[in-house]
C-alpha cells in the first residue's frame, strides 16, 4: 500500500500551510507524503510562523513558498485548503478539507501561537485518519 499524500494550500504558502506541512512531516515522518503550495506565493515564509514552529522544535526556516500547480493537486490524496477560496483547482475523487484559520500574515509570534496550536490539533487528527 502506498503512503497517502497531503497537500496544504493557503494564499501565500508562507504561514498556515507551512506550519501544517511542518507538523505533518514532524509527526508522521515517512508515513505520509507532505506537499504545500500557495495560489499567490510570498517571497519567504512568515518569520513569526518560523519562530512559533521553532518553539515546538520544528525548523521551517529553509522552506520556500511554492506556486500551486494542477500537478500537485492531482498528486494529492487529501487537499487541505486554508483560505485560498475558489483559486484552488478541484478534481473529482480527491478529498478536500477547508480549515478555517486566522491568517498569521502581519501578526507577531504571540498572535501566531494559537493558530499554530489549532493547526497541530487538526494535523494530529488527520494523521489518526490517514496513518493510524
Amino acid at each position: 500500500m502506498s503512503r497517502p499524500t497531503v497537500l496544504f494550500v493557503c494564499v501565500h504558502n508562507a504561514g498556515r500551510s507551512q506550519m501544517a506541512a511542518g507538523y505533518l512531516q514532524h509527526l508522521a515522518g515517512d508515513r505520509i507524503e507532505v506537499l504545500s503550495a500557495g495560489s499567490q506565493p510570498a517571497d519567504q515564509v512568515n518569520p513569526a510562523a518560523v519562530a512559533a514552529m521553532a518553539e515546538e522544535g520544528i525548523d521551517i526556516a529553509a522552506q520556500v513558498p511554492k506556486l500551486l500547480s494542477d500537478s500537485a493537486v492531482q498528486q494529492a490524496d487529501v487537499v487541505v485548503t486554508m483560505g485560498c477560496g475558489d483559486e484552488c483547482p478541484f478534481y473529482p475523487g480527491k478529498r478536500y478539507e477547508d480549515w478555517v484559520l486566522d491568517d498569521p500574515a502581519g501578526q507577531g509570534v504571540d498572535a501566531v501561537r494559537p493558530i499554530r496550536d489549532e493547526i497541530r490539533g487538526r494535523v494530529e487528527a488527520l494523521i489518526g485518519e490517514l496513518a493510524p
Side-chain angles (χ1 to χ4, degrees):
M1 181 177 154
S2 65
R3 64 185 179 156
T5 299
V6 175
L7 169 63
F8 294 106
V9 181
C10 67
V11 175
H12 299 297
N13 190 220
R16 295 166 289 187
S17 58
Q18 290 287 354
M19 289 190 288
Y23 269 129
L24 186 57
Q25 186 71 54
H26 180 76
L27 298 171
D30 62 0
R31 295 181 293 158
I32 299 173
E33 178 76 23
V34 182
L35 303 171
S36 72
S39 53
Q40 300 170 21
D43 294 332
Q44 66 180 18
V45 175
N46 180 332
V50 171
M53 292 301 286
E55 293 175 354
E56 296 282 289
I58 301 171
D59 183 4
I60 62 170
Q63 297 301 315
V64 177
K66 293 170 273 319
L67 180 62
L68 177 63
S69 67
D70 284 351
S71 64
V73 177
Q74 290 170 332
Q75 182 181 345
D77 298 298
V78 179
V79 178
V80 178
T81 59
M82 304 172 189
C84 73
D86 295 336
E87 295 184 48
C88 188
F90 180 83
Y91 289 94
K94 301 289 177 188
R95 174 177 160 187
Y96 286 84
E97 290 189 15
D98 185 41
W99 292 359
V100 178
L101 299 161
D102 290 337
D103 188 348
Q107 303 290 324
V109 72
D110 288 341
V112 173
R113 284 186 191 111
I115 301 167
R116 174 202 66 197
D117 295 345
E118 174 72 17
I119 289 170
R120 181 181 181 123
R122 291 176 187 227
V123 166
E124 288 172 339
L126 188 60
I127 292 169
E129 294 171 22
L130 298 177

